[in-house]
Amino acid sequence: MTTVKINMFYVAAFLLLGCLVSCQKEQEPGTTSATAQAYVDKIVGEMQKYSINRKTIDWSSFTQQVNAKLQGAQSIADTYPAIQLALTLLGDNHSSYTTATGTLLYGTRSISCSDGAPTPVPANPKIGYVKVSGFSGSGTAATVFAESIQASIKQADTDSIRGWIVDLRGNTGGNMWPMLAGIGPILGEGVAGYFIDPDGNATSWAYQKGASIIDQTQQVSVETPYTLRKSNPKVAVLTDRATASSGEAITISFKNRSNTRSFGTSTCGLSTTNSSMVLSDGAILNLTQGTLADRTKTLYGQQVQPDETYYSATAVDKAVAWVLQ
């Protein structure tokens, strides 16, 4: 009996070793693991379902190119070059992927969102001034950011003010909702713009009673919203090439508002909207799904042009002169 057991042990060990050897031989060099393939398939599937360009992309060619780039990937980290190619092939310049460790991946962009340092706006007792910078936080931080904008508006507001300058230069985007809630007292209440998908479905954004709203759903709210001393004021909006994404959404919010004029240069050209989804490993896919439109439903999607194009100090001078005239 002992001899049989020993023999069986060696047989089992031999079979296990043989299996390991044969399994290694089956995993030929260049073969993509099931984990890597499934991960990228999920991402491409979401792109095909929701991308702003889903109706114009040849998805068969798209998938073939991505899978060719994926060839040989074993881990999720190995999939990053294929994901980056997919982001490039989408052609929207705005979608992105954030790895589980926080590294941000974009596709190859055909636009640049940078500009020189903005010329300061000189203090003037007859002009209210408010700067709206980019912001990417959420939750309590978003509320604090919105409240800080309203606090600066309150501090600048006096009975002698003849109009306002809203400075969006250098606003590279992030979370538009605290920006909208913050600037609301100057922008005014009501629908200020829309997100429009490739099928023409429109979702509104608005400011109301201290809160930014998407299609009747509150996003960020200021607990004690400020009300201007003079309603519906004259507003000059400043933009530059570094005004991007959510910065462009706020720019568009002022389009077709009465008593408003914009000065500076065209914006970056990311006037589209992204939605986020969390993947199995905690990574985040930010996918461009719609085009920004103003309150008249005029579509943008590209650079937002100012009413008057001027550079640097000239843009500031022209904005100040217009508010005071």
Side-chain angles (χ1 to χ4, degrees):
M1 292 293 293
T2 302
T3 303
V4 173
K5 286 183 178 180
I6 291 174
N7 289 340
M8 290 300 293
F9 171 80
Y10 282 114
V11 169
F14 177 77
L15 290 174
L16 177 59
L17 178 60
C19 178
L20 289 173
V21 172
S22 64
C23 288
Q24 289 175 347
K25 288 181 178 179
E26 288 173 4
Q27 185 68 39
E28 297 292 342
T31 301
T32 305
S33 73
T35 298
Q37 187 66 63
Y39 190 78
V40 170
D41 284 348
K42 172 65 175 177
I43 290 174
V44 172
E46 293 298 317
M47 291 174 171
Q48 186 169 0
K49 190 182 299 183
Y50 297 114
S51 169
I52 190 174
N53 293 331
R54 63 181 182 266
K55 292 178 176 292
T56 59
I57 290 174
D58 180 342
W59 288 104
S60 176
S61 174
F62 185 103
T63 302
Q64 288 176 4
Q65 292 180 70
V66 172
N67 283 340
K69 193 71 172 180
L70 182 66
Q71 190 70 26
Q74 298 301 301
S75 66
I76 288 178
D78 294 338
T79 69
Y80 296 162
I83 293 171
Q84 196 157 32
L85 174 61
L87 293 169
T88 296
L89 294 175
L90 285 177
D92 59 43
N93 286 309
H94 203 178
S95 294
S96 65
Y97 168 91
T98 305
T99 70
T101 57
T103 301
L104 183 62
L105 301 180
Y106 284 107
T108 301
R109 283 185 165 183
S110 59
I111 58 177
S112 173
C113 301
S114 62
D115 211 327
T119 300
V121 176
N124 188 310
K126 295 183 179 180
I127 298 177
Y129 172 80
V130 59
K131 174 77 172 178
V132 181
S133 303
F135 176 80
S136 296
S138 60
T140 301
T143 301
V144 171
F145 182 81
E147 289 177 340
S148 70
I149 296 175
Q150 290 214 7
S152 67
I153 293 171
K154 180 179 180 180
Q155 184 177 13
D157 197 14
T158 67
D159 289 330
S160 63
I161 282 180
R162 294 170 60 178
W164 291 80
I165 290 179
V166 174
D167 193 351
L168 298 175
R169 296 172 300 171
N171 184 329
T172 54
N175 184 350
M176 70 173 281
W177 303 114
M179 300 178 199
L180 184 61
I183 202 63
I186 294 175
L187 177 65
E189 297 206 347
V191 171
Y194 295 87
F195 307 112
I196 299 182
D197 71 15
D199 294 316
N201 300 310
T203 302
S204 66
W205 76 73
Y207 173 79
Q208 186 174 3
K209 298 179 180 178
S212 52
I213 296 171
I214 178 172
D215 229 13
Q216 308 303 316
T217 302
Q218 182 174 294
Q219 299 300 300
V220 175
S221 178
V222 173
E223 185 174 353
T224 307
Y226 181 67
T227 300
L228 292 180
R229 293 169 183 260
K230 299 176 182 178
S231 61
N232 192 34
K234 197 172 191 179
V235 179
V237 178
L238 293 175
T239 63
D240 64 8
R241 192 59 184 270
T243 307
S245 191
S246 289
E248 289 170 296
I250 303 304
T251 302
I252 290 169
S253 295
F254 281 94
K255 288 291 186 181
N256 291 296
R257 176 192 178 277
S258 63
N259 226 11
T260 304
R261 199 155 184 81
S262 55
F263 301 82
T265 62
S266 58
T267 63
C268 174
L270 298 178
S271 53
T272 48
T273 179
N274 284 355
S275 292
S276 301
M277 69 167 292
V278 180
L279 301 170
S280 60
D281 64 328
I284 298 173
L285 176 65
N286 290 299
L287 190 59
T288 303
Q289 299 186 16
T291 303
L292 304 185
D294 62 27
R295 60 190 69 200
T296 68
K297 293 188 178 180
T298 297
L299 289 168
Y300 290 84
Q302 304 295 327
Q303 295 175 326
V304 182
Q305 303 296 330
D307 295 312
E308 297 188 30
T309 301
Y310 296 104
Y311 294 89
S312 192
T314 304
V316 173
D317 292 343
K318 293 292 185 179
V320 168
W322 179 80
V323 171
L324 295 177
Q325 72 182 17

